[in-house]
Amino acid sequence: MSPWRNLADACGLGPHPFKGAGSTPAGDTFMNLILKSKKEVFFLVLLIFLSFFTRFYHLSYPNKVVFDEAHFGLYATKYLSGQYYFDIHPPLGKMLYGLIALISGGMAGFEFEPYSEYPNFNYLYLRGFNAFIGCCFIVLIYFLIKEMGFSSKAALLASFFILLENSLLLESRLILLNNFLLFFIFLSFYFFFKSEKQELFSRKWHWFNFLTGVSLGLATSVKILGAGAIILLLFYNLIIKEELAEKKKKELKCRMLFYLVIPFLVFLTIF
């Protein structure tokens, strides 16, 4: 059994099994399941609605360049104009913003001076794209927590914590990079826990581990800090999962391929 499932059960946040056959009529059990499912869907829809409301409401304010928008917005315009620029971070985040800027009609020439007012081009496309990723991140947390073996209540609770966390809200409303970084990191965790539920070396096991590696590569291609997720997953497999040492060397080689080689190839491809 997964250590996360053990933790969920110990905290009383794990999924509750059905009662014995003689304790509750089958009809009542089925109706309870339907009602529970409807309630879960309702709260999930509410979560999605609140995510979009908090991230998109009055997104145009302030209509000035704020904080690191002066850097990341400017770098996006450099892609459109073909100008050279130097940045300490890998390029994926700025490439995504550059793509959105290209689709929205371009904004080449604007220098993104701090606290300067935005001209006529629609900067909301850039902020809106980041806000959308912020909404997806909240929903991702819900499914990640459930994938780890916790109950729907625990998943909703964790998601609402993310929803109401003020720094994450701010990150989602400006032209910044950390939203992309967090989304790809936790997406890799989600695919990793999906792979843990698959039969070893099955097609799905390989597929979900491959997606884990791709997500790790995308996270590292936004910021080098994304490599911390690679270290964390390797630590979990090599240290925490003690039974790994008793398995065939083939699994260890596969995981090294998925968690080291594939992220490196993705990182290299982005450059």
Side-chain angles (χ1 to χ4, degrees), residues 21-120:
S23 60
T24 306
D28 290 346
T29 300
F30 178 74
M31 287 304 299
N32 288 338
L33 181 62
I34 295 296
L35 292 174
K36 181 180 179 181
S37 177
K38 287 184 176 180
K39 184 182 295 186
E40 181 179 346
V41 171
F42 168 77
F43 280 109
L44 182 57
V45 172
L46 177 63
L47 176 70
I48 295 174
F49 170 78
L50 292 177
S51 300
F52 277 85
F53 178 78
T54 55
R55 268 63 185 169
F56 281 91
Y57 176 72
H58 213 23
L59 191 60
S60 60
Y61 179 82
N63 64 339
K64 296 181 179 181
V65 179
V66 180
F67 189 48
D68 276 353
E69 286 186 329
H71 301 294
F72 305 133
L74 177 63
Y75 297 155
T77 65
K78 299 297 185 182
Y79 280 105
L80 300 183
S81 60
Q83 293 179 286
Y84 171 82
Y85 74 92
F86 174 79
D87 182 24
I88 61 174
H89 299 301
L92 180 59
K94 281 78 68 178
M95 292 173 70
L96 291 174
Y97 279 131
L99 177 62
I100 297 301
L102 179 64
I103 294 174
S104 63
M107 52 184 178
F110 183 57
E111 293 299 323
F112 282 87
E113 292 293 334
Y115 311 115
S116 61
E117 289 193 8
Y118 283 109
N120 293 328

Side-chain angles (χ1 to χ4, degrees), residues 229-254:
I230 299 176
I231 297 173
L232 182 61
L233 288 184
L234 289 176
F235 176 81
Y236 175 80
N237 282 280
L238 298 176
I239 306 299
I240 297 180
K241 289 181 64 177
E242 297 177 357
E243 68 272 18
L244 185 62
E246 302 174 3
K247 295 180 181 178
K248 298 178 182 179
K249 292 182 180 181
K250 181 180 177 182
E251 181 183 0
L252 181 58
K253 291 179 180 178
C254 285

Side-chain angles (χ1 to χ4, degrees), residues 1-8 13-15 40 139-156 158-159 186-199 204 208 212 236:
M1 182 178 290
S2 168
W4 302 108
R5 182 62 178 272
N6 291 335
L7 177 61
L13 296 173
E40 181 179 346
V139 179
L140 174 63
I141 292 299
Y142 172 83
F143 288 105
L144 170 62
I145 298 302
K146 290 199 68 175
E147 204 62 44
M148 292 172 66
F150 290 86
S151 66
S152 298
K153 291 181 180 179
L156 285 170
S159 300
F186 282 86
L187 184 63
S188 69
F189 293 162
Y190 172 75
F191 287 134
F192 169 74
F193 283 106
K194 289 287 287 186
S195 72
E196 288 288 277
K197 295 184 177 180
Q198 311 304 319
E199 182 182 351
K204 287 187 177 181
F208 283 121
T212 301
Y236 175 80

Side-chain angles (χ1 to χ4, degrees), residues 173-184:
R173 294 176 58 86
L174 299 174
I175 307 171
L176 303 174
L177 297 183
N178 288 335
N179 251 6
F180 301 148
L181 175 67
L182 290 173
F183 178 79
F184 288 130

